Amino acid sequence: MSIIGRLSTAIGLFLVAVALIVWALVSFLDPGTPGGYTDYTVGHSAGAPVSVNLQTVGSIGNGYGSHPTWVSYMQKDPATGKWIHDTSMILPANSVIHMTIDQYDSGSPLRNQEWGQVQGTIGSDATLNGKSFKVYDSYTGNGVGHTFAVPGLGVSVPLIGVNGNLTNICAQAPCGTLPHNVITFSFRTGAPGSYNWQCFVPCALGYLYGNGGAMSTLNYMGGFLKVVA
Amino acid sequence: MTNQSDNSTDQVHHLRRMTLMWVILSVVADILFSIFVAPHVPPGRLTETAAKDQTDFNVLFEMAVPVLFGVWIYMSYSLIVWGDKRNSNQAFSGDAARTNMKTQVSWIVVTSVTVLFLAAFGTYALIVDHGSGGGEGPNPAFAPSGALKAETAALVGKATWSPGSKNVLPVQVIAQQWKFTYRYPTFGGMESSQLIVPADTTIAFNVTSLDVIHSFWAYQLGVKADANPQVNNVAFTTTKDPGNFIVRCSELCGIWHGSMFNNGKVESQADFENWATTTEAANAANTALLPAFAWTYTPDANGAAGGYYPDGTQTPYSTVETYGSKQPS
Ligand SMILES: [Cu+2]
Ligand SMILES: [Cu+2]
């Protein structure tokens, strides 16, 4: 090979190596566009309340990834009205959020009954099928299926279970008219920031202490609230 | 002979010069440090433990400074005064290095004394400050007086602490994935997401977990104790003035570990009493549903019939012997 040929090969390989390094660095440093955030600030006028609708399902079923048996939250996309398998939201700061959660899963006693007490909501209460409550005794009735909790905002609400002996418990999201409880509550978002929310019922069946699997995977039993000004 | 005595006067001369530089620099540096830096050294002075931690850091630093300057001054002095001359054309033209028994012995003695002093000082601080805010396990070796009495009373639902009482206040720290909650046996065994403690009070933190290993780290309080399931890990500290602090989990515990923190407050005894009684009343309905106060709780990971909980009764927890006394059955 001629000198020119060898030189251009060397330079070419060098440039490829540099490009690879730059690409690796950039993709490592760039957090990317966070996927799966549902934006509730679109068309939102300052100070107006925001409505969010979630549902919890005992097993998400086919059509939402590789874990059809996992327990999961679902979110109703405010733009399309469709139920989506995303649990992160962009919410306006200093606003009231009206939350409605349709709970389709059965329940059990809480590991820590502390989460049976409604906390951090406006009025320190929530409603269960239209009836206000402040404390739910998880050792009675159908127990608690999941909780919706935002530790950074002090919010925690128990989601009361449906009768576990029913034969028509929803096993394929979205759940529609199958047996469920409707829990509503309102809370304030406060200052801008990123908050996580999670369920405090160790509901990941088959995992150590029930806290692996769905409890430890984004879009199942937890997500982020990005509160923006 | 003449040469020898010349040499020794020379040595004394060098030593005197180095010592003078060393003393001046060390004293100036230590004074500047203690005025401008020492009061701001973390973890601050929110508790006796934190204050002593700060003092310990400052003592260590102020002892390290003379050692540092001793080494630097001797090294620079040797390089400048005894080094090879720049225009020399000999292979080795600087002063020959010689052993000096006195220097060697002094070096070994001084460094040994320094290290041994710090070891003794550290041990003293550990004992006098009742474990210095570290978790001491279920049977603390260094418990402040009255701690066992207060803790035993707590177990049977009796309060020993009240404003001005100077008694130990037991507070239980319950870690779970992914949040700390706090139980106050002195106030009806109520549980709260908030950690508020009274000023000028010795607190016995009883740290445990409902699932995996976490760690209760209240940095500004100078307290750090692992939270193990089925273990009561006791850590003591005595609060000083009111102020704010942050609690973080410092044991990697899963997906939301990074979010496992909360703010805490040291409040005046009156404010604390007010908060505690108000919260006790507000939480009464839920407190009635909590398991009886115990040092540890044992959630059943497997349970019957595929559940995650032992039996669905009001006592999903087992008893474990800790802190020198059995739990009520
Ligand atoms: Cu859950
Ligand atoms: Cu943790």
Side-chain angles (χ1 to χ4, degrees):
Chain A
M1 207 192 276
S2 69
I3 292 283
I4 306 268
R6 267 186 268 173
L7 201 62
S8 43
T9 308
I11 291 172
L13 284 174
F14 176 74
L15 287 179
V16 169
V18 168
L20 272 174
I21 291 169
V22 169
W23 174 77
L25 277 178
V26 167
S27 42
F28 177 71
L29 293 175
D30 177 19
T33 319
Y37 273 93
T38 306
D39 196 344
Y40 290 83
T41 63
V42 178
H44 173 260
S45 49
V50 170
S51 292
V52 176
N53 193 354
L54 305 177
Q55 64 174 244
T56 47
V57 50
S59 59
I60 191 167
N62 294 309
Y64 297 98
S66 50
H67 302 291
T69 60
W70 280 13
V71 54
S72 188
Y73 268 89
M74 300 288 288
Q75 181 180 190
K76 193 177 196 174
D77 187 335
T80 63
K82 276 209 174 101
W83 287 98
I84 55 173
H85 187 216
D86 281 326
T87 52
S88 292
M89 312 156 202
I90 299 171
L91 298 173
N94 304 308
S95 302
V96 173
I97 310 297
H98 294 310
M99 185 69 84
T100 303
I101 301 179
D102 304 318
Q103 214 291 100
Y104 292 83
D105 201 3
S106 56
S108 51
L110 285 161
R111 179 167 291 171
N112 187 347
Q113 169 64 31
E114 170 71 3
W115 311 125
Q117 175 158 335
V118 180
Q119 297 172 32
T121 64
I122 295 169
S124 297
D125 69 347
T127 71
L128 167 61
N129 300 327
K131 268 180 65 185
S132 165
F133 73 104
K134 292 191 171 193
V135 171
Y136 184 82
D137 181 352
S138 70
Y139 301 102
T140 61
N142 296 326
V144 171
H146 305 276
T147 73
F148 178 88
V150 192
L153 296 173
V155 173
S156 178
V157 178
L159 308 179
I160 285 76
V162 298
N163 186 342
N165 296 324
L166 293 174
T167 50
N168 57 342
I169 287 185
C170 178
Q172 171 65 55
C175 297
T177 56
L178 290 171
H180 64 283
N181 287 322
V182 180
I183 291 98
T184 68
F185 55 93
S186 303
F187 65 96
R188 252 169 228 291
T189 48
S194 183
Y195 303 87
N196 80 295
W197 71 266
Q198 68 161 98
C199 166
F200 272 97
V201 175
C203 57
L205 190 66
Y207 287 86
L208 182 66
Y209 286 115
N211 272 322
M215 279 297 282
S216 291
T217 310
L218 210 58
N219 293 335
Y220 286 88
M221 276 292 132
F224 287 99
L225 303 183
K226 193 190 280 181
V227 175
V228 296
Chain B
M1 255 332 259
T2 343
N3 198 16
Q4 188 67 26
S5 71
D6 269 6
N7 246 341
S8 57
T9 36
D10 200 36
Q11 271 170 19
V12 170
H13 184 62
H14 287 307
L15 189 62
R16 215 179 280 160
R17 278 207 285 192
M18 279 191 276
T19 309
L20 190 66
M21 282 194 275
W22 174 69
V23 169
I24 292 171
L25 273 175
S26 300
V27 168
V28 168
D30 271 348
I31 288 174
L32 289 177
F33 177 83
S34 57
I35 293 173
F36 295 108
V37 185
H40 310 291
V41 165
R45 309 187 75 78
L46 201 55
T47 62
E48 302 270 338
T49 318
K52 280 173 183 158
D53 285 354
Q54 190 191 66
T55 307
D56 294 350
F57 286 138
N58 291 341
V59 166
L60 282 176
F61 190 89
E62 299 204 348
M63 289 195 65
V65 163
V67 174
L68 183 77
F69 279 128
V71 172
W72 278 1
I73 287 168
Y74 184 79
M75 197 173 70
S76 330
Y77 194 93
S78 313
L79 283 174
I80 293 162
V81 178
W82 296 316
D84 199 355
K85 301 296 171 284
R86 198 168 281 273
N87 48 8
S88 156
N89 50 11
Q90 286 169 341
F92 303 99
S93 65
D95 287 359
R98 291 183 303 273
T99 57
N100 183 316
M101 189 58 87
K102 241 194 245 172
T103 310
Q104 283 173 309
V105 169
S106 329
W107 177 255
I108 289 167
V109 168
V110 167
T111 50
S112 301
V113 166
T114 307
V115 169
L116 288 174
F117 166 76
L118 287 173
F121 177 75
T123 311
Y124 172 82
L126 192 68
I127 296 169
V128 168
D129 200 30
H130 316 303
S132 290
E136 298 185 59
N139 294 294
F142 311 115
S145 67
L148 190 60
K149 188 169 152 254
E151 297 264 74
T152 309
L155 203 52
V156 291
K158 289 212 177 93
T160 55
W161 185 91
S162 58
S165 70
K166 294 269 169 206
N167 286 334
V168 173
L169 178 75
V171 175
Q172 184 171 49
V173 178
I174 303 173
Q176 72 182 102
Q177 286 169 315
W178 290 269
K179 178 109 187 63
F180 289 105
T181 55
Y182 307 93
R183 276 193 91 171
Y184 291 81
T186 311
F187 296 89
M190 68 158 177
E191 188 167 346
S192 172
S193 294
Q194 286 177 289
L195 177 57
I196 314 253
V197 289
D200 297 313
T201 301
T202 298
I203 316 285
F205 286 110
N206 293 258
V207 183
T208 190
S209 166
L210 295 184
D211 39 50
V212 299
I213 301 173
H214 303 266
S215 184
F216 171 71
W217 186 31
Y219 179 60
Q220 291 95 333
L221 300 186
V223 172
K224 191 177 191 185
D226 276 358
N228 290 269
Q230 291 177 280
V231 174
N232 179 30
N233 192 8
V234 186
F236 299 102
T237 192
T238 302
T239 55
K240 289 156 77 87
D241 297 328
N244 297 320
F245 58 92
I246 297 177
V247 173
R248 289 179 193 284
C249 177
S250 70
E251 184 68 58
L252 188 57
C253 60
I255 184 173
W256 301 118
H257 165 70
S259 309
M260 195 166 163
F261 64 89
N262 61 268
N263 296 311
K265 259 188 199 169
V266 179
E267 289 187 344
S268 73
Q269 296 196 353
D271 287 354
F272 168 77
E273 174 83 358
N274 185 35
W275 169 81
T277 46
T278 309
T279 310
E280 183 183 356
N283 289 6
N286 200 52
T287 306
L289 304 173
L290 295 176
F293 181 83
W295 297 132
T296 60
Y297 309 98
T298 307
D300 193 331
N302 304 304
Y308 321 127
Y309 307 92
D311 49 16
T313 70
Q314 297 258 358
T315 53
Y317 305 98
S318 80
T319 54
V320 174
E321 188 191 0
T322 50
Y323 209 5
S325 58
K326 285 235 190 253
Q327 297 180 50
S329 50

